Amino acid sequence: MSAFYREKVLSVRHWTDTLFSFRATRDSGFRFQNGQFAMIGLEIEGRPLMRAYSMASANHEEELEFFSIKVQDGPLTSRLQKIQQGDTVLVGRKATGTLVTDNLLPGNRLLLLSTGTGLAPFASLIKDPDVYDRFESIVLVHGCRQVSELAYGEELVARLRDDDLFGPLLSEKLVYYPTVTREPFRNRGRITDLITSRQIFDDIGQGPLDIATDRVMMCGSPAMLDELKQMFEARGFLEGSNSAPGHFVIEKAFVER
Ligand code: A2P
């Protein structure tokens, strides 16, 4: 049996010069937990060329969705950005990853901190009713350089707010906080600075960080993750893993430079 499923591309959307998303068929045998990633790729000259991608779709959805950067000379994304409806993509049979709710200790508030395509695992998690059962409040933070890079997340949240099942859950529990660093926007600044200065908590009208009640998932640029990890560890937060739950969990977003 091949290590990969061969799935059909159902639709592709280009959000900016550097971001696109696509939906693909999902083999009924492909199981994953919301927040996990799998190896995704293309067959190039008879060989699989694969990279780790978080599923942006939830595990109750029939189709798969992925959110990707485009790197002009990137071995995979220079090609993957050209896929069209009907093309075949390879999907690794095994999903894995640390951004799953079981890796967190029980808590009241869940902070989902992302930059760029690091939003993808959280796109899956905010479509998981279990997340709303476990936490009283969920704060989804998405940091980007430009306003245009927020579009995927903005549309996702807007669609869920209109959804019969998720609308009431979102309005009761989800705070969406997009922030931009390199042009004017209603929320400005890096996630690290927004937390240190407490600006973000003032803006959303909630209390500051509290290790007793806050649980954190982060996904994005390696530089941001390093800084956030240090920040949280300095406050006594412990990193969780698949072997022991903690106060925070980390995953690098897809990197291809
Ligand atoms: P900035 O514009 O100040 O570099 P990138 O596109 O480079 O992956 O960055 C995505 C977002 O992450 C940008 O808003 C960027 O801010 C921010 N960022 C980059 N490095 C860090 C860091 N070390 N800590 C916090 N945010 C960061």
Side-chain angles (χ1 to χ4, degrees), residues 36-239:
Q36 284 188 320
F37 67 83
M39 302 306 287
I40 305 299
L42 295 170
E43 193 173 290
I44 307 292
E45 291 161 11
R47 290 209 181 144
L49 176 61
M50 312 296 289
R51 294 286 185 275
Y53 273 90
S54 298
M55 272 63 78
S57 45
N59 58 11
H60 60 76
E61 293 183 68
E62 229 173 275
E63 300 170 357
L64 294 171
E65 182 162 322
F66 300 97
F67 181 40
S68 177
I69 51 168
K70 309 176 192 177
V71 180
Q72 291 321 320
D73 56 358
L76 179 63
T77 62
S78 62
R79 295 166 163 118
L80 194 62
Q81 65 180 282
K82 297 188 186 123
I83 52 168
Q84 293 188 345
Q85 192 182 341
D87 288 351
T88 298
V89 290
L90 304 178
V91 176
R93 286 176 182 266
K94 192 174 157 33
T96 182
T98 56
L99 302 180
V100 294
T101 45
D102 282 344
N103 289 358
L104 291 174
L105 296 163
N108 293 341
R109 180 168 67 179
L110 177 64
L111 301 174
L112 302 173
L113 309 179
S114 62
T115 58
T117 57
L119 179 73
F122 305 147
S124 171
L125 281 159
I126 64 165
K127 286 178 272 191
D128 185 343
D130 177 58
V131 171
Y132 297 86
D133 273 350
R134 290 193 191 217
F135 294 93
E136 279 165 26
S137 139
I138 297 143
V139 183
L140 173 63
V141 186
H142 189 207
C144 288
R145 296 180 184 196
Q146 260 114 26
V147 177
S148 59
E149 297 169 277
L150 299 172
Y152 177 86
E154 294 195 312
E155 193 181 296
L156 166 74
V157 172
R159 200 166 6 99
L160 286 177
R161 286 200 198 286
D162 281 343
D163 185 88
D164 288 344
L165 170 66
F166 285 100
L169 290 176
L170 264 73
S171 58
E172 192 193 335
K173 299 200 167 180
L174 186 89
V175 179
Y176 168 55
Y177 190 93
T179 176
V180 167
T181 46
R182 301 201 187 185
E183 60 184 15
F185 188 64
R186 62 176 189 277
N187 305 317
R188 300 246 6 218
R190 289 181 161 199
I191 294 173
T192 40
D193 297 333
L194 288 162
I195 292 175
T196 310
S197 67
R198 302 186 181 189
Q199 175 78 40
I200 186 169
F201 302 110
D202 290 346
D203 287 346
I204 66 175
Q206 294 189 5
L209 272 189
D210 181 353
I211 191 171
T213 53
D214 282 330
R215 301 296 169 256
V216 190
M217 292 187 173
M218 34 189 129
C219 187
S221 80
M224 176 199 66
L225 297 179
D226 283 349
E227 280 188 42
L228 283 176
K229 181 174 152 85
Q230 280 182 29
M231 264 177 54
F232 282 104
E233 285 181 342
R235 288 167 166 80
F237 285 66
L238 299 174
E239 184 170 356

